[in-house]
Amino acid sequence: MSVVKKRKLDKTRQDRLYFDSYSDVTIHEEMLADHVRTGTYRTAIMRNSESIRGKVVLDVGAGTGVLSVFCVQAGAKKVYAVEACSIAEQAAQIVRHNNMEDRIEVIRGTVETVELPEHVDVIVSEWMGYALLHESMLNSVLYARDKWLKAGGLILPSKAELYIAPIIDPVAEDRLHFWYTVKDQYGVDMSCMYDFARRCVMNSDITVNSVTVEDVLSHPARFAELDLHSVTVDDLRSVQGHFRCESFGSAAVNAFCVYFTVTFPCPDKPHSLVLSTSPFKPETHWKQAVLYLDVSVDVVQDTPVTGTVRMYPSDESARHVCIHVDYTIGEEKKQSKTFSIPDWSAEAQP
Amino acid sequence: MSVVKKRKLDKTRQDRLYFDSYSDVTIHEEMLADHVRTGTYRTAIMRNSESIRGKVVLDVGAGTGVLSVFCVQAGAKKVYAVEACSIAEQAAQIVRHNNMEDRIEVIRGTVETVELPEHVDVIVSEWMGYALLHESMLNSVLYARDKWLKAGGLILPSKAELYIAPIIDPVAEDRLHFWYTVKDQYGVDMSCMYDFARRCVMNSDITVNSVTVEDVLSHPARFAELDLHSVTVDDLRSVQGHFRCESFGSAAVNAFCVYFTVTFPCPDKPHSLVLSTSPFKPETHWKQAVLYLDVSVDVVQDTPVTGTVRMYPSDESARHVCIHVDYTIGEEKKQSKTFSIPDWSAEAQP
C-alpha cells in the first residue's frame, strides 16, 4: 500500500487518467448520493431562478447532467452541458429521458476546446476536489468565465473559503500504539517498530478522512477566500493565508484538518446559501483533508497554534494539489511540512 | 475510480512494485492484527515443535519476522528469515530486540537468489494472497522447497484448498437500485442509468470483500487442492476443478465467492489445524474474492449451480491472478466469464 517513487506524467496521460476516472459509475453515484452536495446545489439553483429563468447557462464538467436538469427546472431557456469524459453519453440519455433535449445540449469535450454558439448568462459547476483544489477543475471554470460569461453574469457557486484546524487523529495514535501490544498478543516484542510506524503513518500524504467533531482541537481558522468572479488562474498557482487557533483544552495535536465551504448568492433571501465540508456539519463525500505532523505536540487550554498555509499545483501533475504548512504550536519552534495527495496512478497494489 | 487500460509491466518493474508495497507499515500491521492468521500460525508452529526443536528453518518472505520468532520459541536451532523488501531492516531490529540474533539470520533478498549455508529441515511461509494465488508468492515457496528443503522435510502449511459458492451481494443490488431513487430525491429521472451502472458494477474485476453468511446461497464446493509437498510451479499455471452446488432456497444469484483454506499437520493431535478464510468462519484480512455475474439469475431451492473454475497468472503481470468460470445455473445455458484483480498500479485516482 505504500507509495512508490512518483513518476512525472505527461500532460496528455494526466488528462486521460483524469477524464477516464470519471467514466465509471461509482464516482457519479457517490456524488449524487451526497445529499449535502446535490441538495444544496438544487436549492441554490431554485433560489436563483430569477436570474436563470429564460437565460442561457453553461454547466462546466456536467457529469450525469443533474445540475443542467436543475437549471431547466429553474426555467433556463438553454443549458450547454460540457463534459469531457464518456459519461457525457449517459448525460445525453438522461436529458432525453427527462424530455429536455430542446433545452439541454450535452457537448462532449473540454470547456477549453468546445465552441458554443453564444455567450452565457450563468455558469454553474461543481468543480470542487479534495481539499477544494485537488484536480484543479476550477481552472476550467475560470477559463469558461473569461471566454463565455457575459459581463455581469452569475457564477454558481460564487465564493470558496478554506479553513484549517489542529486535530488529534486517534486512529493514528492507535495504529502507533499497536506495536506495543504485539508482545501481549503473541509473545514477540515489536515495540521497536514504533519509530518506523510513525514515519509511515505520520507521512506527508494528504489523507482524505472523516474528522470527528470531538477530535477538532480549536475553532477552525479561515485562511483563504476565492471570489469566483475575480480570482484568476494565476492566483490559483499559490493560494495562501495565515491562521491562528487557540486550543480548546489539553490534548496532543497530531494533525491539521483542512476543509472548505462554497457559497451561493441568494438574491431574495437575507442569507446566502453555504455548502460546507466542515467536520462540524453533516458529512459529505469530500470528508476532510488530514495533514499529519511528524510528531504529536501537547497543548493546553488556549495554547496558540499559528502559521501559514500555501496550496499550489504539484510539479508532477498540475491536477494534484500540494499543501505547505508553516506552523508554531505554543512555545515550540516553527515547523514546516509539505503535503501532497498520493499519486494513485503510480502506486503499487496492497 | 475506474480501471484505465492496463499496461504491460516489465518484470523488473513488477517486482519493484511488489516488493516496495511491503515496505510500508500498513500491510504488516494488518497481517499481524489478523489474529486468525497470526494466531493460527503460532499454534501450528507450537504444535509442530517436535519437528522444529533443534532443527533448521527457512522462513520465505519473512516480513517483520514474526514466524521466525515463533519458530525459535518452538525450539528451532537456526532460522533463515528471507525477505526481499526493506522491511527486512525492521525484522533484523525485532530479532535483536528479542535477543534472538544468534538463532535468526535475516537475509535481504529474494529466495530465488539468496545463498544459504545449509539445507533446511522446515520451511514456514505465509505466502497466501487474495483468492489464494494473487501475488503468486507460492512459486517462491516451491522454488525454496526444491532447492533448500531436505528430503522428508516439513512445510508449514502443507496443503491449500480452494472453494466456490454462489452468493447474492446486496450492496451491488442496492447500488443498481439507487438509480431508480434519484427521481424521488431530486426530481430527475435517472432510471436509464441502470444498464450502464450494471456494466460498471457487475464488471470483471475480482472484488475483495467480506461476504456475509446470509448472502451465501449454497454449501460451498471445493474445486481444487494443492499438496505443497508435491505441487509444481508448472501446476500453478493452471489450477482448476469442477464444482456443483445446490441452492438453499429462492434467491437471485449475482456473484460467486471464492475463498481458501490452508492446513497445518499436527502430529500429536487427532485433527490437523486449518486456517480458513470461509465466510462461515471469523473474518480475516483476506476476506473473500467476489466475482460478479453479468446479470443476476433467480434460483429456487435445490437449483443446481455447476461449472468449472480455472485460475492462472495474468498475461500482463505474472503476480496477478485471473479466474475463469464456466457455469450453468439450473436450466439456463452455460455462461463463461473471466475475472482479474484490477492493476492498481495502472489505475487513475478517484
Side-chain angles (χ1 to χ4, degrees), chain A residues 1-5 7 13-14 16-18 20-36 38-39 42 64-66 69-70 73 86-87 90-91 93-94 97-98 130 134-135 175-176 178-179 182-183 185-193 196-197 199-201 203 319-320 342-350, chain B residues 1-5 7 13 16-18 20-36 38-39 42 64-66 69-70 73 86-87 90-91 93-94 97-98 130 134-135 174-176 178-179 182-183 185-193 196-197 199-201 203 319-320 342-350:
Chain A
M1 300 184 191
S2 71
V3 177
V4 299
K5 203 166 157 36
R7 288 163 305 130
R13 184 169 151 72
Q14 279 172 34
R16 193 173 58 76
L17 283 168
Y18 176 69
D20 282 2
S21 70
Y22 280 80
S23 303
D24 187 75
V25 78
T26 308
I27 183 69
H28 297 288
E29 181 190 325
E30 187 183 37
M31 292 192 295
L32 281 163
D34 178 347
H35 197 78
V36 174
T38 309
R42 183 164 205 262
T64 55
V66 66
V69 173
F70 293 162
Q73 289 171 340
S86 63
I87 195 73
Q90 275 68 43
Q93 206 180 338
I94 288 165
H97 202 67
N98 288 272
Y130 296 132
H134 186 60
E135 297 184 337
R175 290 188 58 187
L176 301 185
F178 169 78
W179 297 101
V182 177
K183 190 168 184 183
Q185 286 185 74
Y186 303 120
V188 183
D189 187 344
M190 292 213 179
S191 58
C192 60
M193 284 284 283
F196 174 72
R199 290 194 302 274
C200 291
V201 173
N203 63 23
R319 294 202 181 277
H320 280 228
D343 184 0
W344 302 105
S345 64
E347 181 140 330
Q349 74 279 6
Chain B
M1 297 185 190
S2 70
V3 178
V4 299
K5 204 166 156 38
R7 287 164 304 130
R13 182 167 154 74
R16 190 173 60 76
L17 282 169
Y18 176 69
D20 281 1
S21 70
Y22 280 80
S23 304
D24 187 74
V25 78
T26 308
I27 184 68
H28 298 288
E29 182 190 323
E30 186 182 37
M31 292 192 296
L32 282 162
D34 179 348
H35 197 77
V36 173
T38 310
R42 183 164 205 261
T64 55
V66 66
V69 172
F70 292 162
Q73 289 171 338
S86 62
I87 196 71
Q90 274 68 43
Q93 205 179 338
I94 289 166
H97 202 67
N98 288 272
Y130 296 133
H134 185 60
E135 297 184 337
D174 288 351
R175 289 188 59 186
L176 301 186
F178 168 78
W179 297 100
V182 177
K183 189 169 183 184
Q185 286 186 73
Y186 303 121
V188 183
D189 187 343
M190 292 212 179
S191 58
C192 59
M193 285 283 284
F196 174 73
R199 290 195 302 274
C200 291
V201 172
N203 62 23
R319 294 200 181 278
H320 281 227
D343 183 358
W344 303 104
S345 63
E347 181 139 328
Q349 72 280 5

Side-chain angles (χ1 to χ4, degrees), chain A residues 55-320:
Chain A
K55 298 292 177 58
V56 179
V57 178
L58 168 57
D59 180 355
V60 179
T64 55
V66 66
L67 302 187
S68 297
V69 173
F70 293 162
C71 289
V72 168
Q73 289 171 340
K77 181 175 74 176
K78 181 82 186 181
V79 183
Y80 299 103
V82 175
E83 174 54 55
C85 93
S86 63
I87 195 73
E89 291 167 30
Q90 275 68 43
Q93 206 180 338
I94 288 165
V95 167
R96 284 193 301 276
H97 202 67
N98 288 272
N99 300 311
M100 292 181 179
E101 58 269 57
D102 56 332
R103 303 279 196 98
I104 302 175
E105 187 173 335
V106 177
I107 305 176
R108 184 159 179 191
T110 64
V111 82
E112 288 83 357
T113 56
V114 301
E115 279 302 315
L116 305 184
E118 60 187 319
H119 280 68
V120 303
D121 304 291
V122 180
I123 289 179
V124 63
S125 181
E126 196 280 79
W127 52 267
M128 299 86 75
Y130 296 132
L132 186 69
L133 297 175
H134 186 60
E135 297 184 337
S136 64
M137 194 179 126
L138 179 52
N139 289 16
S140 298
V141 176
L142 302 187
Y143 182 95
R145 175 196 68 191
D146 297 341
K147 189 168 177 183
W148 297 112
L149 188 65
K150 290 180 190 166
L154 181 67
I155 307 180
L156 295 176
S158 57
K159 187 172 73 172
E161 290 163 287
L162 281 154
Y163 293 82
I164 190 168
I167 65 166
I168 176 163
D169 177 359
V171 173
E173 293 294 314
D174 287 351
R175 290 188 58 187
L176 301 185
H177 179 68
F178 169 78
W179 297 101
Y180 283 96
T181 69
V182 177
K183 190 168 184 183
D184 281 347
Q185 286 185 74
Y186 303 120
V188 183
D189 187 344
M190 292 213 179
S191 58
C192 60
M193 284 284 283
Y194 185 89
D195 269 353
F196 174 72
R198 190 180 51 71
R199 290 194 302 274
C200 291
V201 173
M202 313 279 276
N203 63 23
S204 61
D205 289 346
I206 297 170
T207 307
V208 175
N209 220 338
S210 292
V211 174
T212 308
V213 170
E214 306 86 68
D215 300 336
V216 181
L217 302 178
S218 81
H219 290 294
R222 193 180 71 160
F223 66 88
E225 177 179 332
L226 305 175
D227 176 344
L228 294 223
H229 286 281
S230 61
V231 70
T232 67
V233 169
D234 202 50
D235 293 338
L236 299 182
R237 288 192 227 285
S238 177
V239 171
Q240 59 186 319
H242 301 287
F243 64 92
R244 181 188 173 88
C245 308
E246 268 147 18
S247 172
F248 289 145
S250 293
V253 176
N254 68 4
F256 286 107
C257 128
V258 167
Y259 68 88
F260 64 89
T261 63
V262 295
T263 303
F264 300 89
C266 286
D268 298 335
K269 304 272 172 182
H271 297 296
S272 50
L273 185 66
V274 176
L275 167 51
S276 175
T277 66
S278 164
F280 296 99
K281 299 283 180 178
E283 189 171 328
T284 73
H285 78 286
W286 286 285
K287 302 175 183 169
Q288 288 83 32
V290 174
L291 317 175
Y292 291 106
L293 314 188
D294 288 333
V295 290
S296 63
V297 180
D298 290 330
V299 294
V300 294
Q301 191 178 326
D302 298 330
T303 297
V305 181
T306 61
T308 309
V309 189
R310 189 166 80 85
M311 299 173 69
Y312 55 95
S314 143
D315 280 347
E316 280 96 34
S317 163
R319 294 202 181 277
H320 280 228

